[in-house]
């Protein structure tokens, strides 16, 4: 029964994060990229603040605030702004295929800045995955597509910077806590956009506003809570493999919801990217389970409702 609940949580996370890409396209019908970025983060931040006491989210140490600010700026503020702007011209399914390259970028940054060992599988997998993402970025012929696709690729890079920044934090906090801290920091950094975003809600179509609320409550807030539950009970290999399904689910949802049909070259680039990620995550020996964080001295551990879990850099996948 425990396994069934874990697999259900993992499937729910994949579905929520996959549906976020087409939901962004719907929200952009009534909101600009900057307005959408602030409103989505604000809704998610309020939801996480409401459940934080129930899930045992602790107050971060003062010495970690600078790192949390960088994580929030890169992984939340910059990521949302770039992705939302890019999806004005890039179809939802195609955007998900580009963002799928995040683990490869994270692996490269970890080698450059954290001194992680560059294995042949990591080097080859990263090059293949990045080549696939670049192929998608240059494959469009529509006006504005190429620049927008590179913006999505930049969003993926900002997400990789986020994973690099939070790795030390995951030694002291749970994955959910780190996500909540970053979400709150990212929202605070976009606070100057609040007046325009609030005014936009007065004229935006109901469907666009519903998409904003959906993005904040489900993929952003609930997605992290459910993901934290799942990865605490799964191996790195299983968690990473599940995230490889996000682009495929996004393509299916985008076709049903928006009628989008990706170009063959975009699908080819996506397959190349996924093949590179499979090579990147190739491991020898039995699968290792995700370790929990080291509790902060004099602070109570999280309650058993949600087991804390930290993800190594190569276990992080795409996040819309």
């Amino acid at each position: 029964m425990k396994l069934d609940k874990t697999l259900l949580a993992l499937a729910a996370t994949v579905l929520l994060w996959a549906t976020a890409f087409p939901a962004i396209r719907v929200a952009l019908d009534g909101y600009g990229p900057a307005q959408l970025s602030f409103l989505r983060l604000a809704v998610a931040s309020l939801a996480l603040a409401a459940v934080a006491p129930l899930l045992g989210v602790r107050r971060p140490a003062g010495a970690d605030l600078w790192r949390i600010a960088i994580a929030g700026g890169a992984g939340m503020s910059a990521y949302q702004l770039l992705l939302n702007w890019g999806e004005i011209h890039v179809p939802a399914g195609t955007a998900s295929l580009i963002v799928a390259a995040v683990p490869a970028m994270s692996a490269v940054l970890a080698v450059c800045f954290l001194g992680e060992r560059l294995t042949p599988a990591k080097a080859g997998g990263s090059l293949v995955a990045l080549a696939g993402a670049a192929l998608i970025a240059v494959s469009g012929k529509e006006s504005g597509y190429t620049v927008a696709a590179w913006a999505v690729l930049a969003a993926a890079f900002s997400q990789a910077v986020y994973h690099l920044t939070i790795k030390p934090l995951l030694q002291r906090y749970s994955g959910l806590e780190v996500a909540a801290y970053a979400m709150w920091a990212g929202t605070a950094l976009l606070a100057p956009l609040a007046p325009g975003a609030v005014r936009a809600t007065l004229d935006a179509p109901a469907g666009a506003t519903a998409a904003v609320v959906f993005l904040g409550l489900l993929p952003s807030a609930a997605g992290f809570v459910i993901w934290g539950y799942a990865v605490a009970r799964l191996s790195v290999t299983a968690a990473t493999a599940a995230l490889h399904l996000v682009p495929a689910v996004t393509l299916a949802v985008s076709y049903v919801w928006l009628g989008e049909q990706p170009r063959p070259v975009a699908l080819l680039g996506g397959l190349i990217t996924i093949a590179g990620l499979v090579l990147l995550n190739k491991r020898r020996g039995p699968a290792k389970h995700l370790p929990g964080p080291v509790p902060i001295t004099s602070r109570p551990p999280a309650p058993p409702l949600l087991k804390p879990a930290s993800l190594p850099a190569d276990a992080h996948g795409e996040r819309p």
Side-chain angles (χ1 to χ4, degrees), residues 14-33:
V14 170
L15 180 61
L16 287 176
W17 286 353
T19 55
F21 289 98
I24 288 173
R25 297 274 287 185
V26 174
L28 287 171
D29 287 339
Y31 296 92

Side-chain angles (χ1 to χ4, degrees), residues 67-316:
R67 191 179 296 275
I68 291 171
I70 294 175
M76 300 298 171
S77 302
Y79 176 80
Q80 293 295 334
L81 289 169
L82 289 166
L83 179 61
N84 293 340
W85 186 82
E87 281 206 44
I88 293 176
H89 297 288
V90 177
T94 304
S96 73
L97 292 171
I98 296 175
V99 176
V102 167
M105 297 179 182
S106 298
V108 173
L109 290 178
V111 170
C112 295
F113 296 100
L114 297 181
E116 292 191 2
R117 181 169 168 263
L118 182 63
T119 64
K122 184 176 291 187
S126 297
L127 288 175
V128 171
L130 293 175
L135 175 62
I136 300 171
V138 301
S139 65
K141 298 180 181 179
E142 300 86 350
S143 175
Y145 171 88
T146 300
V147 174
W150 283 108
V152 176
L153 198 60
F157 180 77
S158 70
Q159 192 65 203
V161 173
Y162 167 79
H163 295 320
L164 178 76
T165 305
I166 67 172
K167 189 166 185 179
L169 296 174
L170 289 170
Q171 302 302 315
R172 300 185 289 279
Y173 307 96
S174 71
L176 173 63
E177 287 175 321
V178 172
Y181 302 153
M183 192 79 70
W184 295 329
T187 305
L189 290 172
L190 294 186
L193 302 176
V198 173
R199 285 195 298 269
T201 61
L202 301 177
D203 301 319
T209 300
V212 171
V213 175
F214 167 82
L215 285 165
L217 289 180
L218 295 178
S220 293
F224 278 116
V225 174
I226 301 171
W227 172 248
Y229 174 90
V231 298
R233 296 159 174 81
L234 288 174
S235 67
V236 170
T237 303
T240 304
L243 289 179
H244 293 167
L245 297 174
V246 170
V249 178
T250 300
L251 289 170
V253 173
S254 299
Y255 176 76
V256 174
W257 191 354
L258 305 176
E260 291 184 355
Q261 297 186 21
R263 295 183 305 275
V265 67
L267 291 177
L268 175 61
L271 290 175
I272 293 174
T273 298
I274 298 301
L277 297 180
V278 172
L279 178 60
L280 173 66
N281 288 287
K282 187 177 181 180
R283 297 172 179 272
R284 294 181 179 180
K288 296 180 180 180
H289 285 272
L290 301 168
V294 178
I296 301 177
T297 306
S298 77
R299 293 186 181 169
L305 176 62
L306 180 67
K307 295 182 179 179
S310 60
L311 283 172
D314 60 355
H316 287 283

